[in-house]
Amino acid sequence: MTLNRRDFLKVSGAGAAAALAGCATTASKARPHVVVVGAGFGGATCAKYLRQWGPSIDVTLIEPNDKFVSCPISNWVIGGLRSMDDITHGYDKLPRHGIKMVKDTVVAIDPAKRFVKTRSGASIGYDRLVLAPGIEILTGTVNGFNEAETTGKVVHAWKAGPQTALLRKQLEAMPDGGTFVLSVPAAPYRCPPGPYERACLVANYFKQAKPKSKIILLDGNPDVVSKKPLFTDAWNTLYAGMIDYRPNNAPLAVDGSSMTVTTEFDAVKGDVLNVVPKQRAGELCALAGVRNDSAGNWCTVNFATFESTTVPNVHIIGDSVLSSLPKSGHMATNMAKVCAAAIVELLAGRQPDPIPVVANTCYSATSGTTSGYVANVYRYEAGKGYVSAPEGGATPKGDALNFSYNESWAKNIWAEVLS
Protein backbone atom coordinates (compact mmCIF):
# COMPACT_ATOMS: atom_id res chain seq x y z
CA MET A 1 0.00 0.00 0.00
CA THR A 2 1.24 3.48 -0.83
CA LEU A 3 0.40 6.76 0.97
CA ASN A 4 0.24 10.12 -0.75
CA ARG A 5 1.09 13.31 1.14
CA ARG A 6 -2.55 14.08 1.97
CA ASP A 7 -3.19 10.59 3.42
CA PHE A 8 0.04 10.75 5.42
CA LEU A 9 -0.98 14.03 6.99
CA LYS A 10 -4.39 12.63 7.93
CA VAL A 11 -2.88 9.56 9.58
CA SER A 12 -0.10 11.46 11.35
CA GLY A 13 -2.57 14.14 12.47
CA ALA A 14 -4.88 11.52 13.94
CA GLY A 15 -1.95 9.90 15.70
CA ALA A 16 -0.77 13.22 17.07
CA ALA A 17 -4.29 14.00 18.28
CA ALA A 18 -4.47 10.63 20.02
CA ALA A 19 -1.06 11.21 21.56
CA LEU A 20 -2.07 14.68 22.74
CA ALA A 21 -5.30 13.28 24.16
CA GLY A 22 -3.27 10.72 26.05
CA CYS A 23 -0.96 13.42 27.36
CA ALA A 24 -3.96 15.49 28.41
CA THR A 25 -5.39 12.52 30.32
CA THR A 26 -2.10 11.97 32.11
CA ALA A 27 -1.64 15.65 32.90
CA SER A 28 -5.10 15.95 34.38
CA LYS A 29 -4.56 13.09 36.80
CA ALA A 30 -4.89 14.46 40.34
CA ARG A 31 -1.81 14.65 42.52
CA PRO A 32 -2.01 12.53 45.68
CA HIS A 33 -3.29 14.50 48.65
CA VAL A 34 -2.37 13.95 52.29
CA VAL A 35 -4.26 15.75 55.05
CA VAL A 36 -2.48 16.17 58.39
CA VAL A 37 -4.56 17.21 61.39
CA GLY A 38 -2.73 18.80 64.29
CA ALA A 39 0.37 21.02 63.98
CA GLY A 40 2.23 19.98 67.10
CA PHE A 41 5.59 18.20 67.25
CA GLY A 42 4.29 15.24 65.25
CA GLY A 43 1.88 16.83 62.78
CA ALA A 44 4.00 19.80 61.73
CA THR A 45 7.06 17.58 61.29
CA CYS A 46 5.13 15.03 59.25
CA ALA A 47 3.69 17.70 56.92
CA LYS A 48 7.11 19.23 56.40
CA TYR A 49 8.83 15.95 55.52
CA LEU A 50 5.99 14.76 53.31
CA ARG A 51 6.65 17.79 51.14
CA GLN A 52 10.44 17.43 51.27
CA TRP A 53 10.48 13.72 50.45
CA GLY A 54 7.38 13.69 48.22
CA PRO A 55 7.37 16.94 46.22
CA SER A 56 4.62 15.57 43.98
CA ILE A 57 2.30 15.16 46.99
CA ASP A 58 -0.11 17.92 48.01
CA VAL A 59 -0.21 18.40 51.78
CA THR A 60 -2.86 20.21 53.80
CA LEU A 61 -2.16 20.86 57.48
CA ILE A 62 -5.23 21.66 59.61
CA GLU A 63 -4.67 23.38 62.97
CA PRO A 64 -7.14 25.52 64.97
CA ASN A 65 -4.55 27.51 66.94
CA ASP A 66 -2.71 30.62 65.78
CA LYS A 67 0.51 29.72 67.58
CA PHE A 68 2.56 26.70 68.56
CA VAL A 69 2.97 26.56 72.36
CA SER A 70 5.56 24.01 73.48
CA CYS A 71 4.75 21.60 76.28
CA PRO A 72 8.48 20.83 76.71
CA ILE A 73 9.94 23.78 78.65
CA SER A 74 6.47 24.81 79.90
CA ASN A 75 7.52 23.58 83.36
CA TRP A 76 10.25 26.21 83.18
CA VAL A 77 7.53 28.85 82.85
CA ILE A 78 5.70 27.42 85.87
CA GLY A 79 8.96 27.46 87.83
CA GLY A 80 9.72 31.06 86.82
CA LEU A 81 12.75 30.29 84.62
CA ARG A 82 11.15 31.34 81.33
CA SER A 83 8.13 33.29 80.05
CA MET A 84 5.20 32.25 77.87
CA ASP A 85 6.78 34.17 75.00
CA ASP A 86 9.81 31.88 75.21
CA ILE A 87 7.73 28.78 74.45
CA THR A 88 5.33 30.35 71.91
CA HIS A 89 6.18 30.25 68.21
CA GLY A 90 4.48 31.00 64.90
CA TYR A 91 3.61 28.73 61.98
CA ASP A 92 4.59 31.31 59.37
CA LYS A 93 7.62 29.37 58.04
CA LEU A 94 5.77 26.12 57.24
CA PRO A 95 3.96 27.30 54.07
CA ARG A 96 7.28 27.88 52.30
CA HIS A 97 7.62 24.09 52.06
CA GLY A 98 4.47 24.03 49.92
CA ILE A 99 2.20 23.07 52.82
CA LYS A 100 -1.34 24.44 52.64
CA MET A 101 -2.19 25.69 56.13
CA VAL A 102 -5.85 25.68 57.17
CA LYS A 103 -6.80 27.35 60.45
CA ASP A 104 -9.88 25.34 61.40
CA THR A 105 -11.14 22.48 63.56
CA VAL A 106 -12.02 19.03 62.21
CA VAL A 107 -15.46 18.01 63.44
CA ALA A 108 -16.12 14.86 61.38
CA ILE A 109 -14.11 12.22 59.54
CA ASP A 110 -15.43 9.78 56.91
CA PRO A 111 -12.77 7.09 56.43
CA ALA A 112 -14.88 5.24 53.83
CA LYS A 113 -15.25 8.26 51.53
CA ARG A 114 -11.91 9.70 52.63
CA PHE A 115 -12.76 13.22 53.64
CA VAL A 116 -12.72 15.39 56.74
CA LYS A 117 -15.25 18.08 57.56
CA THR A 118 -14.28 21.24 59.42
CA ARG A 119 -16.19 23.54 61.73
CA SER A 120 -16.35 26.19 59.00
CA GLY A 121 -18.21 23.71 56.78
CA ALA A 122 -15.39 22.73 54.42
CA SER A 123 -15.08 19.13 53.20
CA ILE A 124 -11.49 18.18 52.41
CA GLY A 125 -10.75 14.92 50.63
CA TYR A 126 -7.60 12.87 51.11
CA ASP A 127 -5.72 9.86 49.84
CA ARG A 128 -4.00 9.44 53.20
CA LEU A 129 -4.93 11.04 56.52
CA VAL A 130 -2.48 11.66 59.38
CA LEU A 131 -3.88 12.35 62.84
CA ALA A 132 -1.63 14.02 65.40
CA PRO A 133 -4.10 15.30 68.00
CA GLY A 134 -2.06 14.71 71.14
CA ILE A 135 -4.08 13.73 74.20
CA GLU A 136 -7.51 14.20 75.70
CA ILE A 137 -7.52 15.02 79.43
CA LEU A 138 -10.10 12.85 81.20
CA THR A 139 -11.20 15.49 83.68
CA GLY A 140 -14.37 13.54 84.44
CA THR A 141 -12.32 10.79 86.12
CA VAL A 142 -11.72 13.10 89.10
CA ASN A 143 -14.98 14.06 90.83
CA GLY A 144 -15.47 17.80 91.04
CA PHE A 145 -12.59 18.62 88.72
CA ASN A 146 -14.70 20.18 85.96
CA GLU A 147 -16.40 22.55 88.40
CA ALA A 148 -13.12 23.52 90.06
CA GLU A 149 -11.45 24.03 86.68
CA THR A 150 -14.31 26.23 85.43
CA THR A 151 -13.86 28.57 88.39
CA GLY A 152 -10.09 28.66 87.86
CA LYS A 153 -9.39 27.17 91.29
CA VAL A 154 -7.75 23.98 89.97
CA VAL A 155 -5.80 23.42 86.75
CA HIS A 156 -3.96 20.53 85.14
CA ALA A 157 -1.68 22.69 82.92
CA TRP A 158 -0.86 19.55 80.94
CA LYS A 159 -1.50 21.29 77.63
CA ALA A 160 0.78 24.30 77.39
CA GLY A 161 -1.16 27.53 77.11
CA PRO A 162 -3.42 29.68 79.32
CA GLN A 163 -3.38 27.18 82.20
CA THR A 164 0.42 27.28 82.24
CA ALA A 165 0.34 31.03 82.83
CA LEU A 166 -2.49 30.71 85.37
CA LEU A 167 -0.64 28.11 87.44
CA ARG A 168 2.41 30.36 87.54
CA LYS A 169 0.28 33.25 88.82
CA GLN A 170 -1.28 31.03 91.49
CA LEU A 171 2.16 30.02 92.75
CA GLU A 172 3.31 33.63 92.82
CA ALA A 173 0.21 34.59 94.85
CA MET A 174 0.62 31.69 97.30
CA PRO A 175 1.77 32.77 100.78
CA ASP A 176 5.17 31.71 102.09
CA GLY A 177 4.49 28.64 104.18
CA GLY A 178 1.71 27.47 101.86
CA THR A 179 1.29 24.04 100.29
CA PHE A 180 1.38 23.13 96.62
CA VAL A 181 -0.40 19.85 95.81
CA LEU A 182 0.60 18.21 92.54
CA SER A 183 -0.70 14.89 91.22
CA VAL A 184 0.73 12.37 88.76
CA PRO A 185 -1.74 10.35 86.63
CA ALA A 186 -1.50 6.61 86.26
CA ALA A 187 0.60 5.63 83.27
CA PRO A 188 0.38 5.87 80.31
CA TYR A 189 0.28 9.65 80.08
CA ARG A 190 1.99 12.44 78.14
CA CYS A 191 5.61 13.12 79.18
CA PRO A 192 6.33 10.55 81.92
CA PRO A 193 9.00 12.64 83.71
CA GLY A 194 6.98 15.86 83.44
CA PRO A 195 5.27 15.88 86.86
CA TYR A 196 8.51 15.10 88.68
CA GLU A 197 10.35 17.86 86.82
CA ARG A 198 7.50 20.21 87.71
CA ALA A 199 7.91 19.35 91.40
CA CYS A 200 11.63 20.13 91.15
CA LEU A 201 11.18 23.49 89.45
CA VAL A 202 8.41 24.63 91.80
CA ALA A 203 10.61 23.58 94.73
CA ASN A 204 13.47 25.58 93.18
CA TYR A 205 11.16 28.63 93.07
CA PHE A 206 9.99 28.10 96.65
CA LYS A 207 13.56 27.72 97.87
CA GLN A 208 14.33 31.21 96.59
CA ALA A 209 11.02 33.06 97.11
CA LYS A 210 8.91 31.07 99.60
CA PRO A 211 11.31 28.92 101.66
CA LYS A 212 8.71 27.93 104.26
CA SER A 213 6.45 26.34 101.63
CA LYS A 214 6.18 22.66 100.82
CA ILE A 215 5.01 20.34 98.06
CA ILE A 216 2.84 17.25 98.35
CA LEU A 217 3.33 15.01 95.33
CA LEU A 218 0.46 12.52 94.91
CA ASP A 219 1.51 9.78 92.49
CA GLY A 220 -1.11 7.51 90.92
CA ASN A 221 1.66 5.00 90.24
CA PRO A 222 3.42 2.70 92.72
CA ASP A 223 6.74 4.47 92.13
CA VAL A 224 8.42 7.21 90.11
CA VAL A 225 7.87 6.07 86.51
CA SER A 226 10.72 7.92 84.79
CA LYS A 227 14.27 9.03 85.71
CA LYS A 228 13.88 7.98 89.33
CA PRO A 229 17.59 8.34 90.26
CA LEU A 230 17.70 11.85 88.76
CA PHE A 231 14.65 13.14 90.60
CA THR A 232 15.18 11.41 93.95
CA ASP A 233 18.73 12.78 94.02
CA ALA A 234 17.36 16.30 93.53
CA TRP A 235 14.65 15.83 96.14
CA ASN A 236 17.13 14.51 98.71
CA THR A 237 19.96 16.97 98.10
CA LEU A 238 18.51 20.20 96.71
CA TYR A 239 15.07 20.13 98.35
CA ALA A 240 15.48 18.03 101.49
CA GLY A 241 12.29 18.11 103.57
CA MET A 242 10.41 20.21 101.03
CA ILE A 243 8.78 17.49 98.85
CA ASP A 244 6.45 14.92 100.41
CA TYR A 245 6.22 12.11 97.85
CA ARG A 246 3.23 9.76 98.24
CA PRO A 247 2.98 6.79 95.81
CA ASN A 248 -0.28 4.95 95.07
CA ASN A 249 -2.25 8.14 95.79
CA ALA A 250 -4.33 8.87 92.70
CA PRO A 251 -6.83 11.72 93.17
CA LEU A 252 -10.45 10.55 93.33
CA ALA A 253 -12.05 13.96 93.92
CA VAL A 254 -11.19 17.63 94.19
CA ASP A 255 -13.04 20.47 95.91
CA GLY A 256 -12.17 23.97 94.74
CA SER A 257 -14.07 25.58 97.62
CA SER A 258 -12.17 23.86 100.41
CA MET A 259 -9.05 23.40 98.22
CA THR A 260 -8.92 19.70 99.01
CA VAL A 261 -7.80 16.69 96.98
CA THR A 262 -9.21 13.36 98.12
CA THR A 263 -7.40 10.08 97.45
CA GLU A 264 -8.13 6.54 98.61
CA PHE A 265 -6.06 7.23 101.72
CA ASP A 266 -6.08 10.96 102.44
CA ALA A 267 -7.90 14.26 102.18
CA VAL A 268 -5.09 16.66 101.28
CA LYS A 269 -5.51 20.42 101.63
CA GLY A 270 -3.42 22.89 99.70
CA ASP A 271 -3.16 26.53 98.74
CA VAL A 272 -2.54 25.68 95.06
CA LEU A 273 -3.92 22.49 93.53
CA ASN A 274 -2.41 21.13 90.31
CA VAL A 275 -4.33 17.93 89.58
CA VAL A 276 -3.38 16.08 86.39
CA PRO A 277 -6.10 13.53 85.48
CA LYS A 278 -5.76 10.39 83.39
CA GLN A 279 -5.46 10.76 79.62
CA ARG A 280 -6.27 9.03 76.34
CA ALA A 281 -5.82 9.53 72.61
CA GLY A 282 -7.17 12.82 71.28
CA GLU A 283 -10.85 13.16 70.38
CA LEU A 284 -10.06 13.21 66.65
CA CYS A 285 -9.08 9.56 66.96
CA ALA A 286 -12.60 8.74 68.14
CA LEU A 287 -14.05 10.60 65.14
CA ALA A 288 -11.99 8.39 62.82
CA GLY A 289 -12.78 5.19 64.73
CA VAL A 290 -9.11 4.47 65.46
CA ARG A 291 -9.19 4.63 69.27
CA ASN A 292 -9.28 0.87 69.29
CA ASP A 293 -7.33 -0.73 72.13
CA SER A 294 -9.18 -3.00 74.56
CA ALA A 295 -10.19 -0.06 76.76
CA GLY A 296 -11.03 2.24 73.84
CA ASN A 297 -8.43 4.79 74.97
CA TRP A 298 -5.45 4.50 72.63
CA CYS A 299 -4.71 3.73 68.98
CA THR A 300 -3.05 0.56 67.73
CA VAL A 301 -0.94 0.97 64.58
CA ASN A 302 1.34 -0.84 62.18
CA PHE A 303 4.64 0.47 63.53
CA ALA A 304 6.39 0.34 60.16
CA THR A 305 3.92 2.91 58.74
CA PHE A 306 1.86 4.14 61.72
CA GLU A 307 -1.28 3.25 59.78
CA SER A 308 -4.22 2.23 61.94
CA THR A 309 -4.61 -1.51 62.37
CA THR A 310 -8.36 -1.22 61.80
CA VAL A 311 -9.00 1.81 59.55
CA PRO A 312 -7.15 1.85 56.21
CA ASN A 313 -5.42 5.02 54.96
CA VAL A 314 -5.50 6.66 58.40
CA HIS A 315 -2.18 7.10 60.21
CA ILE A 316 -1.74 8.14 63.85
CA ILE A 317 1.44 9.62 65.33
CA GLY A 318 2.51 11.08 68.64
CA ASP A 319 0.96 10.70 72.08
CA SER A 320 -2.23 9.00 70.83
CA VAL A 321 -0.41 5.80 69.85
CA LEU A 322 -0.54 2.75 72.11
CA SER A 323 3.05 1.55 72.43
CA SER A 324 5.99 1.09 74.77
CA LEU A 325 7.60 4.17 73.21
CA PRO A 326 7.69 7.27 75.44
CA LYS A 327 5.02 9.90 74.88
CA SER A 328 7.39 12.81 74.26
CA GLY A 329 7.80 15.64 71.79
CA HIS A 330 11.07 14.19 70.52
CA MET A 331 9.47 10.79 69.91
CA ALA A 332 6.56 12.43 68.09
CA THR A 333 8.99 13.97 65.59
CA ASN A 334 10.61 10.57 65.01
CA MET A 335 7.24 8.88 64.49
CA ALA A 336 6.37 11.69 62.07
CA LYS A 337 9.41 11.05 59.90
CA VAL A 338 8.84 7.28 59.75
CA CYS A 339 5.18 7.93 58.88
CA ALA A 340 6.03 10.52 56.21
CA ALA A 341 8.61 8.24 54.58
CA ALA A 342 6.15 5.33 54.58
CA ILE A 343 3.36 7.42 53.01
CA VAL A 344 5.68 8.64 50.25
CA GLU A 345 6.50 5.02 49.40
CA LEU A 346 2.91 3.80 49.62
CA LEU A 347 1.61 6.55 47.33
CA ALA A 348 4.34 5.67 44.83
CA GLY A 349 3.32 2.01 44.87
CA ARG A 350 6.45 0.91 46.71
CA GLN A 351 6.98 -0.95 49.98
CA PRO A 352 8.01 1.16 52.99
CA ASP A 353 11.12 0.41 55.01
CA PRO A 354 10.20 -2.75 56.99
CA ILE A 355 12.65 -2.10 59.85
CA PRO A 356 12.64 1.62 60.73
CA VAL A 357 14.61 3.02 63.65
CA VAL A 358 13.49 5.80 66.00
CA ALA A 359 15.22 7.59 68.85
CA ASN A 360 14.19 9.58 71.89
CA THR A 361 16.01 12.18 73.94
CA CYS A 362 14.31 13.74 76.93
CA TYR A 363 15.87 16.35 79.21
CA SER A 364 14.45 17.33 82.59
CA ALA A 365 15.57 20.29 84.67
CA THR A 366 16.09 19.63 88.38
CA SER A 367 16.82 23.27 89.28
CA GLY A 368 17.40 26.62 87.64
CA THR A 369 20.91 25.54 86.61
CA THR A 370 20.89 21.72 86.42
CA SER A 371 19.31 19.11 84.14
CA GLY A 372 19.59 15.42 83.34
CA TYR A 373 18.54 13.29 80.41
CA VAL A 374 17.42 9.89 79.20
CA ALA A 375 18.18 8.81 75.63
CA ASN A 376 17.26 5.62 73.78
CA VAL A 377 17.27 4.09 70.30
CA TYR A 378 14.47 1.71 69.26
CA ARG A 379 14.53 -0.69 66.33
CA TYR A 380 11.37 -2.09 64.82
CA GLU A 381 11.03 -5.88 64.77
CA ALA A 382 8.05 -7.50 63.05
CA GLY A 383 5.76 -9.11 65.59
CA LYS A 384 7.44 -7.33 68.49
CA GLY A 385 7.11 -3.63 67.75
CA TYR A 386 9.90 -1.24 68.65
CA VAL A 387 12.59 -2.85 70.79
CA SER A 388 15.04 -0.79 72.82
CA ALA A 389 18.59 -1.09 71.48
CA PRO A 390 21.76 -1.08 73.61
CA GLU A 391 22.51 2.51 72.63
CA GLY A 392 21.36 5.10 75.13
CA GLY A 393 21.46 5.81 78.82
CA ALA A 394 20.42 8.19 81.56
CA THR A 395 22.05 10.60 83.98
CA PRO A 396 21.58 9.82 87.69
CA LYS A 397 22.28 13.42 88.72
CA GLY A 398 21.57 16.79 87.16
CA ASP A 399 24.40 19.15 86.23
CA ALA A 400 25.09 22.50 84.58
CA LEU A 401 26.39 21.07 81.31
CA ASN A 402 23.18 19.14 80.70
CA PHE A 403 21.18 22.26 81.57
CA SER A 404 22.88 24.04 78.66
CA TYR A 405 22.23 20.99 76.46
CA ASN A 406 18.60 21.08 77.59
CA GLU A 407 18.28 24.69 76.39
CA SER A 408 19.94 23.84 73.06
CA TRP A 409 17.75 20.78 72.57
CA ALA A 410 14.62 22.91 72.90
CA LYS A 411 15.80 25.54 70.43
CA ASN A 412 16.90 22.91 67.92
CA ILE A 413 13.73 20.82 68.04
CA TRP A 414 11.52 23.92 67.70
CA ALA A 415 13.52 24.85 64.63
CA GLU A 416 13.24 21.30 63.28
CA VAL A 417 9.46 21.30 63.64
CA LEU A 418 8.60 24.84 62.57
CA SER A 419 11.24 26.16 60.18
Side-chain angles (χ1 to χ4, degrees):
M1 182 180 72
T2 61
L3 286 175
N4 60 31
R5 184 171 178 271
R6 181 176 296 174
D7 291 333
F8 173 78
L9 291 174
K10 287 181 180 179
V11 172
S12 60
L20 287 172
C23 290
T25 301
T26 302
S28 66
K29 185 177 180 181
R31 289 158 55 96
H33 185 209
V34 178
V35 173
V36 182
V37 186
F41 283 94
T45 302
C46 189
K48 175 181 171 180
Y49 279 91
L50 278 166
R51 287 291 302 147
Q52 288 190 5
W53 295 337
S56 64
I57 299 172
D58 289 331
V59 177
T60 299
L61 178 58
I62 304 175
E63 166 61 45
N65 296 309
D66 292 312
K67 300 284 187 177
F68 171 95
V69 186
S70 178
C71 283
I73 309 298
S74 65
N75 279 339
W76 295 32
V77 176
I78 292 168
L81 305 181
R82 294 292 184 273
S83 70
M84 287 299 296
D85 287 344
D86 292 324
I87 64 169
T88 304
H89 307 277
Y91 290 117
D92 52 293
K93 294 180 180 178
L94 288 177
R96 71 181 183 181
H97 297 285
I99 300 167
K100 180 181 179 182
M101 297 286 296
V102 175
K103 185 180 180 299
D104 211 336
T105 300
V106 171
V107 295
I109 299 173
D110 189 330
K113 296 180 180 179
R114 297 195 202 179
F115 74 85
V116 301
K117 187 173 182 179
T118 67
R119 181 163 293 158
S120 67
S123 292
I124 303 172
Y126 64 82
D127 293 287
R128 294 270 169 177
L129 175 66
V130 180
L131 301 179
I135 52 159
E136 179 182 347
I137 307 289
L138 298 176
T139 57
T141 61
V142 180
N143 289 334
F145 185 94
N146 289 329
E147 293 80 4
E149 183 183 34
T150 299
T151 61
K153 292 292 187 67
V154 179
V155 297
H156 54 72
W158 217 240
K159 293 184 177 183
Q163 287 199 1
T164 307
L166 176 56
L167 180 56
R168 175 61 189 170
K169 289 180 180 178
Q170 290 175 340
L171 291 169
E172 289 174 331
M174 193 186 86
D176 188 11
T179 299
F180 173 54
V181 181
L182 167 63
S183 75
V184 185
Y189 60 90
R190 165 182 280 177
C191 189
Y196 312 110
E197 180 194 48
R198 184 171 292 184
C200 287
L201 294 185
V202 172
N204 178 72
Y205 167 64
F206 285 170
K207 192 174 180 179
Q208 299 173 56
K210 304 175 191 289
K212 298 177 183 178
S213 300
K214 67 176 183 177
I215 298 169
I216 298 177
L217 185 53
L218 304 173
D219 198 337
N221 303 282
D223 202 353
V224 177
V225 300
S226 179
K227 303 179 187 173
K228 181 178 178 179
L230 176 70
F231 293 120
T232 53
D233 174 78
W235 299 345
N236 293 331
T237 59
L238 300 177
Y239 314 115
M242 185 176 285
I243 299 175
D244 178 4
Y245 175 70
R246 303 181 187 181
N248 292 311
N249 257 264
L252 301 178
V254 63
D255 187 331
S257 299
S258 63
M259 296 298 286
T260 303
V261 178
T262 303
T263 74
E264 183 180 353
F265 306 102
D266 300 298
V268 183
K269 292 184 68 67
D271 296 276
V272 176
L273 306 183
N274 181 197
V275 177
V276 184
K278 294 178 181 178
Q279 297 151 33
R280 65 180 175 185
E283 186 179 356
L284 279 170
C285 297
L287 294 179
V290 295
R291 208 155 59 184
N292 60 349
D293 70 336
S294 59
N297 288 329
W298 304 100
C299 305
T300 65
V301 298
N302 174 346
F303 286 108
T305 62
F306 288 92
E307 184 173 6
S308 169
T309 56
T310 54
V311 182
N313 307 303
V314 177
H315 303 252
I316 309 99
I317 55 176
D319 296 338
S320 289
V321 175
L322 176 68
S323 76
S324 59
L325 298 172
K327 296 185 185 299
S328 72
H330 196 118
M331 180 53 68
T333 66
N334 273 239
M335 289 181 177
K337 293 172 186 177
V338 172
C339 180
I343 289 174
V344 169
E345 297 302 297
L346 290 167
L347 290 176
R350 300 186 295 261
Q351 287 298 313
D353 181 359
I355 49 171
V357 176
V358 296
N360 182 65
T361 299
C362 179
Y363 284 94
S364 296
T366 52
S367 74
T369 57
T370 58
S371 291
Y373 71 85
V374 62
N376 291 97
V377 175
Y378 302 87
R379 290 181 171 84
Y380 178 70
E381 295 183 15
K384 294 183 179 179
Y386 282 95
V387 178
S388 182
E391 298 90 345
T395 47
K397 185 179 179 69
D399 57 45
L401 180 60
N402 277 301
F403 187 85
S404 66
Y405 288 161
N406 195 341
E407 292 180 295
S408 296
W409 171 87
K411 292 175 183 177
N412 288 330
I413 200 165
W414 292 334
E416 166 76 349
V417 173
L418 299 168
S419 64

